[in-house]
Amino acid sequence: MADLHDILLLPNGVKIKNRFFKAAMSEGMADEHNKPTKKLVRLYETWAESEAGIVVTGNVMVDKRALGEPRNVVVENEKDLDLLKSWANAGTKNGTHLWMQINHPGKQVFKGIVKEAVAPSKVEFEPKLQRYFPIARELQEEEIFDIIQRFANTAKIAKKAGFTGVQLHGAHGYLISQFLSPRHNKRTDQWGGSLENRMRFLLEIYKTVRKEVGDSFPIGVKLNSADFMKAGFTEDEALQVIETLDQLGIDLIEVSGGSYESPQMTGVNVKESSKKREAYFLEFASEAKKVSTAPLVVTGGFRTLNGMKEAILEGSTSMVGLARPMAVYPFLPKELLQGKRETIELAPRKTGIKLVDQTAMLELTWYSNQLERIGKDKPTNPELSPKVALIQSLWKNGLDVFQMRRV
Ligand SMILES: Cc1cc2nc3c(=O)[nH]c(=O)nc-3n(C[C@H](O)[C@H](O)[C@H](O)COP(=O)(O)O)c2cc1C
């Protein structure tokens, strides 16, 4: 029976020092040319002191033309290799694994940031959400092959820079998750229709990345347990994808759920029965364990030491994924392991301004503000007023902040 401080052995033989997994949080800390900055390096140096076994970066884009936020890091060539090396060097101190999360946002790209949006098919979001995004056009097959190659290229550069693994972002409604979803993928060629065809894009990315980085370099994936939308990707389908990835030798699968349309990943709309188990996707993970031997990470909702211990002990997850708690308590795994903290209180963030509170923007702005503080060597501020976080963000980013933020 495992405990939080136990080593985890990945299928490829790589050892992870314990069961804490700092999940991806988009930092918005690249410069205006989408290069890593000193602040970003400092943030990861701090997390490398947290005792987390694996730290995953915020999503790094594989194509500069497909940005989710103006300040995402983009890695499409070796121009910034030295900067990437300092990032990797800082984040891998103390035997910490630093994995780069790589992503293509597909049609979840905000108006004004990109020239056009692309997607598996020309399917619009509901009007309330669509107004934030350009209407996407359908990808040509040669563009699909190009994007697959881009994932492999970014992974190759990450490895060369010293990152110790990569995570493919297959969750939260971005391009891979758009291909998986029958609601968003209406293609009639080999990339759409049956589940076998819808998962082809993810599998081809995995296989191409694997060919590029070799067997000993860990590749993980973040997957939705479901997208929680009518006619969307279901839990049964997610289980089949997990089984297939396991057979192909994936090293780690992180389970999350939802998208901008239905943001379950942050606890919205989560069933009461799931909340009783603290982390939102534990029930699903127990099912996934039955069809796959790949180590799993459940992310979303973990807030107590007991909840984390229990989940590891009963075996429904191999690692505990933590995102928002690590933005406020950057040394959390160490504090939990040393018995200095047992619960994490994170109240929902509301300003009282309806326009602001209705979108996910404020919640994310508040956490981004904490990341910014860590990057500037300032202590985090759990008491930070949501209104002050908003004003500071407006000061830094102008009215861009009123666009909904990515998760
Ligand atoms: C500010 C912020 C940025 C995020 N950016 C990403 C991201 O780039 N990639 C990703 O997979 N998830 C992202 N997430 C989602 C988290 O990884 C995680 O799935 C979610 O916050 C639930 O976990 P928690 O309850 O521990 O926060 C983000 C969350 C926050 C709060």
Side-chain angles (χ1 to χ4, degrees):
M1 276 187 293
D3 204 344
L4 287 164
H5 52 68
D6 287 343
I7 287 175
L8 177 71
L9 193 62
L10 300 184
N12 65 357
V14 166
K15 279 186 188 155
I16 307 297
K17 67 180 175 184
N18 61 40
R19 306 310 179 94
F20 289 104
F21 177 99
K22 188 257 144 208
M25 273 183 286
S26 189
E27 313 88 3
M29 281 189 192
D31 69 9
E32 65 277 25
H33 305 294
N34 306 98
K35 296 169 190 279
T37 55
K38 280 197 182 132
K39 279 191 297 198
L40 188 68
V41 172
R42 184 65 197 124
L43 173 63
Y44 282 84
E45 192 164 39
T46 307
W47 276 329
E49 288 163 28
S50 74
E51 279 302 321
I54 299 179
V55 170
V56 182
T57 68
N59 57 176
V60 167
M61 299 296 147
V62 300
D63 186 344
K64 195 162 184 170
R65 295 166 302 176
L67 276 186
E69 290 170 303
R71 299 286 169 137
N72 288 139
V73 174
V74 176
V75 176
E76 46 180 16
N77 53 47
E78 295 189 13
K79 229 172 34 197
D80 303 325
L81 193 63
D82 286 343
L83 289 168
L84 293 170
K85 279 184 180 168
S86 17
W87 185 9
N89 185 36
T92 51
K93 288 187 179 156
N94 300 317
T96 310
H97 260 265
L98 179 66
W99 292 12
M100 184 186 283
Q101 186 183 61
I102 51 184
N103 191 23
H104 187 299
K107 64 184 167 186
Q108 279 189 168
V109 288
F110 295 105
K111 278 182 182 163
I113 297 178
V114 289
K115 280 210 182 111
E116 64 167 359
V118 293
S121 308
K122 191 171 178 235
V123 176
E124 294 185 26
F125 295 111
E126 281 165 3
K128 160 159 132 254
L129 188 68
Q130 186 62 56
R131 65 193 159 132
Y132 295 104
F133 304 113
I135 291 173
R137 70 164 174 83
E138 181 175 305
L139 282 164
Q140 305 283 314
E141 190 164 48
E142 62 269 22
E143 294 176 298
I144 297 177
F145 287 120
D146 173 66
I147 296 172
I148 293 169
Q149 207 47 56
R150 281 174 175 275
F151 271 89
N153 183 47
T154 303
K156 179 183 82 181
I157 299 168
K159 184 181 175 193
K160 189 165 179 185
F163 288 81
T164 55
V166 288
Q167 186 189 52
L168 313 175
H169 197 347
H172 301 174
Y174 296 115
L175 189 59
I176 294 178
S177 137
Q178 287 159 31
F179 267 94
L180 288 171
S181 165
R183 181 186 173 93
H184 293 290
N185 181 350
K186 302 283 183 200
R187 297 182 75 96
T188 51
D189 58 8
Q190 59 163 336
W191 307 98
S194 63
L195 177 62
E196 191 188 346
N197 282 354
R198 281 181 278 124
M199 72 164 108
R200 192 179 308 281
F201 182 60
L202 168 60
L203 299 190
E204 286 304 314
I205 291 175
Y206 170 70
K207 290 182 203 162
T208 316
V209 171
R210 178 61 83 202
K211 220 185 269 166
E212 198 62 70
V213 299
D215 285 344
S216 56
F217 190 74
I219 306 176
V221 64
K222 187 162 184 166
L223 264 192
N224 275 354
S225 58
D227 54 19
F228 301 99
M229 293 295 293
K230 211 165 143 202
F233 183 61
T234 63
E235 293 195 350
D236 276 349
E237 292 183 326
L239 290 174
Q240 291 177 57
V241 174
I242 288 174
E243 195 175 354
T244 312
L245 284 166
D246 180 36
Q247 285 160 3
L248 291 175
I250 193 95
D251 295 299
L252 193 67
I253 299 172
E254 181 184 0
V255 174
S256 186
S259 66
Y260 287 176
E261 291 176 304
S262 181
Q264 255 81 2
M265 70 295 246
T266 53
V268 175
N269 301 336
V270 169
K271 285 188 301 191
E272 275 316 304
S273 61
S274 308
K275 279 193 176 156
K276 273 195 202 118
R277 296 197 63 190
E278 192 168 317
Y280 321 137
F281 306 109
L282 272 174
E283 272 168 290
F284 173 80
S286 307
E287 293 306 307
K289 279 271 168 196
K290 294 180 192 158
V291 299
S292 146
T293 55
L296 290 185
V297 184
V298 171
T299 299
F302 276 115
R303 298 295 180 266
T304 68
L305 179 60
N306 269 344
M308 296 176 206
K309 271 181 180 277
E310 227 172 82
I312 296 287
L313 189 72
E314 70 183 20
S316 26
T317 183
S318 318
M319 296 190 83
V320 165
L322 297 167
R324 288 165 291 181
M326 294 284 290
V328 183
Y329 304 103
F331 305 109
L332 186 60
K334 193 181 342 193
E335 293 168 355
L336 292 164
L337 286 171
Q338 293 176 350
K340 290 187 181 151
R341 192 179 294 281
E342 293 201 338
T343 54
I344 304 117
E345 306 284 347
L346 297 172
R349 311 287 153 193
K350 299 254 183 274
T351 52
I353 309 165
K354 210 170 161 200
L355 170 74
V356 174
D357 291 342
Q358 270 170 353
T359 67
M361 187 268 288
L362 179 75
E363 170 99 344
L364 298 172
T365 300
W366 192 89
Y367 287 100
S368 298
N369 188 296
Q370 305 290 344
L371 301 185
E372 184 87 16
R373 295 176 76 88
I374 304 172
K376 288 181 175 163
D377 263 332
K378 288 188 189 165
T380 57
N381 181 2
E383 305 306 324
L384 179 70
S385 130
K387 279 188 188 150
V388 171
L390 181 64
I391 291 163
Q392 286 177 351
S393 218
L394 280 169
W395 181 253
K396 185 181 148 222
N397 298 318
L399 289 174
D400 281 357
V401 83
F402 272 108
Q403 291 165 331
M404 284 170 70
R405 297 284 314 279
R406 70 174 42 246
V407 279

